[in-house]
Structures are given as structure tokens and as C-alpha cells.
Amino acid sequence: MPDAAILAPQWIAPVAPQATVLSGHAVLVEDGRIAELAPLDALRERHPDAALTPLPGHLLVPGFVNLHTHAAMSLLRGVADDLPLQDWLRARIWPLEGKLVSPSFVRDGALLAAYEMLLGGTTCFNDMYFFPEEAVDAALQLGMRSAHGIIVIEFPSAYASDAGDYLRKGLELRDRHRGNPMVSFCLAPHAPYTVSDETLKRVAVLARELGLPIHTHVHETADEIAESLARHGKRPLERLDALGLVGPELIAVHAVHLDETDLRLLAASGASVAHCPHSNLKLASGIAPAARLAELGIRVGFGTDGSASNNRLDLLQEARTAALLAKGTSGRADAWPAARVLQAMTLDAAAALGLDDRIGSIEPGKQADLVAVDLSAAELSPVFDPVSQLVYAAGREHVQHVWVDGRHVVRKRQLVCADASEAVGELVGRSSLWHNRIREILSG
């Protein structure tokens, strides 16, 4: 994008400072930032030399933020379908990962995932996986913003030998990218059932010292809670709280099985929830109480989880399902209205990652992470409320343009950068090799 450019869609949903839809307005982008949001005629008069991009029939929204995924697992899409979580993990996923996980596996899988997410309007994703340096590189290659979990787990892997080794390698990676505005980090203990008290205490201390979010799976299944009560005499959230992990920095992933005490604890602490409805439904883990979370003012963002349990990295689909489940389970049609859903996809997820001062809304001073969705298609006509149309009717195929940090990275559903496009093209061949290797492992 030139130093100054004007994006002129038919509608703009800025998300903040208030939920509204503007028409006849445009966005001035300068040096990667949103410089102005104002009526189009006024912007053209003040900035006659700025390049104009007309977007008739399009809704411009902030870039979507995927609050929880395992990007590299795109190479495992479809290998463990129709299994409950513990069977899915212990009988299929963990054995496969033990034989497959390597830097090349993570890089190829993350690149596939980043491409899929980017074309669906996701401009930032929060990842948790082994060899995170490879996922960092994949995101940067496609021009995406990303947050990466400093993963912590007690058992050894090809990536690290023990909890201390995981932490050391993750913190070293963070130090290497500290000056890169496109990359951020979270502390990511895998789950209470795979991480010891001693390690969790260390994570809590590091989170406070370094100002990092804590990103962890919690209360995903009823069995997880029963096991925690048997082993520790506490529900998982209660145990995390006693160890110092429940606070405004916590991103509680899944948070399906919550009683009123759990809900009150999350609300009082200022914690966030990464709601992954499709993964939870597919694994028969349950349905998170999203309507009650909203009632209590608990911040919620949406996550896709990984492709092995979803099987799409499609945040628009995730958001629509989340809204419908909230209405259906609460018996309230006004639960999670469309504007609230868009806020969860953007500003609230950014806030959970500590990035809401930079992304998540179309406000002057923020980075220009933007998505233009074409609502002019016959199947989306007529348009009475553009945000409603986005949430309840549109699909990722209607995402036409994506900008990240002011750079036009997707134009008319095609990658703009030739090097990125070439990398994705080469990846198709390599994914066939991974497919053959995985089939051999499954049949052997």
C-alpha cells in the first residue's frame, strides 16, 4: 500500500468506540496505521494525493482474531474423526505426533493453516504447539500477525525434554522476536492435567514478571473435572486459582463445564475465555455457557482449535455457531446479538492477548488490520443490517480483501505477495508427501 491510501467501502463497522455501522465514510491508512475515519468526501478533499480504493457493496471490519488454534495440526485434518477427546488424544493424536512432529512438520502445517485463515479474514491467530519458531516464520511469510504459546508440558517430545526445557526454549524465542511488532507471546501450559503444581506456580510468576497472558485448556470435559477432584481435591479452575494463575492474564480455552462458582471466579478475576464451539461439538465435549458468560461480563473471544478436531479454521463459521448455540441453550433470542459477536471476533479477542491498544477496532492510531467482505452477492441480498448479514449469512468465501499492518495481503481472494503465493503452491506437493507418510503410520 502507498504511504497514504483511502479505503472506501459501502459500510464500515468500526466496533469501537461504539457498535455502529457507518456509510459514506472511508478509512485513511498511512504508514501501516489507521490515520483517519471520516466521511469520504472530506478525506478526499484533505488528502487529494492518497490512492483511492473503492469497495462498492463491501463491509469493512477489523481483522478477525483467532484466539485459540494449533496451526500445525492442519496436516492431521480428518485422521481422528468421531472420537471423544481422551480417545482422540491418547489413541490417535499423541501417538501420531510422537512419530511426526518436527520443524518441517510444524512449518508446513502452520503455513497451510495461515493460508486458510488469512483467506477467511483472520489477520491474527493465537497458536499453541511444539517448535513455535516454525509457526512464527510461517505467519510472517504470509504477512500475518500472530501470538505464540510458550508451550509447557511435563512429558518429553521432539521439541523439548521437560517443563524447564520447554520454558527455556520458548522464552529464548520470545527474546529473539521482542522487537517485532507482528509477533507476540503467551505462556501456554497445555492443561492442568498435563502440568504439575510446581510448573504452574513458575508459570504464574513468569506471567506477572513478564506481563504475558496465560493460555491454557481448562474445563474442556466432565472427565477432566472428575479426575482433578480425585487427584487434587479441587476443580481445575479452583486449583489454578490456588496456584496463582487465575487473573486478567488468563485465557481459559474451552471452559465448557463451568458451575456457578467457576463462572463467578472468572468474572471476578477479569479472565478471558476462548470459546471453540465447533471443536467442542465435534468431540462431544459439551457446549460452553456463552450466554451466561456474557451476562457476567466475562470477556469471550472465538477460537477454531486445530484442524484435527474442527476441521476448518473458519472464524466466521465459528462465530455464527457460537451465536446460535448461545440463543438455543439460553432460550433467549437476544443473547449474543450480531454486534456483540463481531466484537468477540475482533476487539475482545485482541484484548485477551493484550493487543487491543493496537488492533481489534477501526480507530485512528491503531494498526490497519482490516477485512473487506463483499455483501453484494445475490445470496446475501438484500442487506438491511450489514453486521447481521456478516454474522448470520456471509461465509469466508465472501471475504475479498485483507490488509495486515496496512499491507494489502489478499486482493480478490488471491495472495498479493508473489513469494507467499509461490510458497503456498509448493506446499500443495509437500502436503501430499505428509499425507502418504501419515497413511503409512496409520496402516502400520
Side-chain angles (χ1 to χ4, degrees):
M1 181 177 289
D3 289 343
I6 296 173
L7 307 182
Q10 186 163 347
W11 305 280
I12 299 173
V15 175
Q18 58 184 350
T20 188
V21 175
L22 304 172
S23 57
H25 282 59
V27 174
L28 175 70
V29 177
E30 290 182 326
D31 300 323
R33 293 184 178 272
I34 298 165
E36 293 185 57
L37 170 59
L40 173 60
D41 291 344
L43 280 182
R44 295 195 70 181
E45 183 176 345
R46 288 197 295 270
H47 305 277
D49 296 328
L52 178 66
T53 301
L55 296 165
H58 286 67
L59 169 66
L60 192 71
V61 295
F64 306 147
V65 179
N66 186 345
L67 193 52
H68 174 70
T69 193
H70 310 286
M73 295 182 81
S74 61
L75 290 173
L76 299 177
R77 193 192 320 260
V79 302
D81 286 344
D82 309 320
L83 294 172
L85 177 64
Q86 289 305 317
D87 290 345
W88 178 84
L89 273 175
R90 299 177 192 278
R92 186 59 62 89
I93 296 300
W94 283 348
L96 277 172
E97 287 179 325
K99 296 178 180 179
L100 290 168
V101 171
S102 64
S104 59
F105 176 88
V106 175
R107 182 170 182 79
D108 286 353
L111 194 59
L112 274 176
Y115 174 70
E116 180 183 357
M117 287 188 280
L118 196 58
L119 261 65
T122 294
T123 56
C124 177
F125 66 96
N126 182 30
D127 201 42
M128 179 197 286
Y129 210 65
F130 310 102
F131 297 102
E133 62 273 17
E134 301 298 333
V136 171
D137 289 346
L140 291 174
Q141 187 167 5
L142 292 194
M144 287 185 76
R145 196 179 305 279
S146 56
H148 297 269
I150 298 171
I151 189 169
V152 191
I153 200 165
E154 298 297 339
F155 57 73
S157 68
Y159 172 58
S161 59
D162 56 27
D165 196 25
Y166 284 100
L167 281 170
R168 178 182 60 78
K169 288 180 175 177
L171 291 171
E172 287 176 353
L173 178 64
R174 173 180 175 265
D175 287 343
R176 292 200 297 273
H177 287 277
R178 191 172 295 181
N180 190 334
M182 297 289 288
V183 183
S184 62
F185 291 87
C186 301
L187 288 157
H190 171 261
Y193 58 87
T194 55
V195 184
S196 69
D197 282 5
E198 181 182 354
T199 300
L200 289 170
K201 288 178 184 177
R202 187 176 176 193
V203 166
V205 170
L206 285 169
R208 289 191 293 270
E209 289 180 348
L210 302 176
L212 294 178
I214 299 172
H215 172 209
T216 188
H217 303 91
V218 64
H219 285 232
E220 187 173 359
T221 66
D223 287 346
E224 173 195 340
I225 295 168
E227 180 183 344
S228 180
L229 287 168
R231 290 180 59 191
H232 304 285
K234 296 181 177 71
R235 292 169 68 84
L237 269 173
E238 181 186 8
R239 176 173 164 239
L240 291 181
D241 186 41
L243 297 171
L245 281 80
V246 179
E249 65 278 356
L250 177 65
I251 303 171
V253 180
H254 299 300
V256 172
H257 297 274
L258 302 173
D259 64 16
E260 193 63 20
T261 299
D262 301 324
L263 287 161
R264 296 287 180 181
L265 175 58
L266 289 172
S269 68
S272 303
V273 168
H275 181 22
C276 307
H278 277 242
S279 176
N280 295 334
L281 288 169
K282 186 164 180 287
L283 293 169
S285 298
I287 299 172
R292 184 67 178 137
L293 292 168
E295 286 175 2
L296 292 172
I298 298 167
R299 183 188 297 117
V300 178
F302 302 132
T304 58
D305 211 347
S307 295
S309 65
N310 186 316
N311 298 10
R312 297 162 67 101
L313 306 180
D314 182 349
L315 212 63
L316 268 174
Q317 187 181 70
E318 225 50 60
R320 180 173 185 268
T321 298
L324 297 180
L325 284 174
K327 297 172 190 301
T329 56
S330 68
R332 287 180 31 228
D334 62 348
W336 281 86
R340 176 71 182 80
V341 172
L342 178 58
Q343 181 177 321
M345 297 171 70
T346 54
L347 187 59
D348 286 351
L353 294 171
L355 299 176
D356 52 314
D357 61 333
R358 297 166 54 197
I359 62 171
S361 59
I362 304 177
E363 297 180 90
K366 289 196 173 183
Q367 301 302 125
D369 289 11
L370 303 166
V371 173
V373 183
D374 186 1
L375 301 183
S376 66
E379 65 270 20
L380 299 180
S381 299
V383 179
F384 298 104
D385 178 341
V387 173
S388 171
Q389 211 78 338
L390 174 74
V391 172
Y392 297 124
R396 65 182 179 183
E397 67 275 13
H398 297 110
V399 172
Q400 291 295 312
H401 300 272
V402 180
W403 294 264
V404 182
D405 212 40
R407 292 185 294 273
H408 203 171
V409 292
V410 174
R411 179 188 290 117
K412 295 182 178 180
R413 300 201 55 73
Q414 299 294 320
L415 293 177
V416 173
C417 174
D419 289 344
S421 184
E422 183 179 353
V424 171
E426 293 172 353
L427 186 56
V428 173
R430 292 204 302 279
S431 68
S432 296
L433 298 177
W434 287 114
H435 173 264
N436 293 338
R437 184 175 175 189
I438 292 165
R439 283 180 63 89
E440 287 176 4
I441 293 171
L442 292 173
S443 63

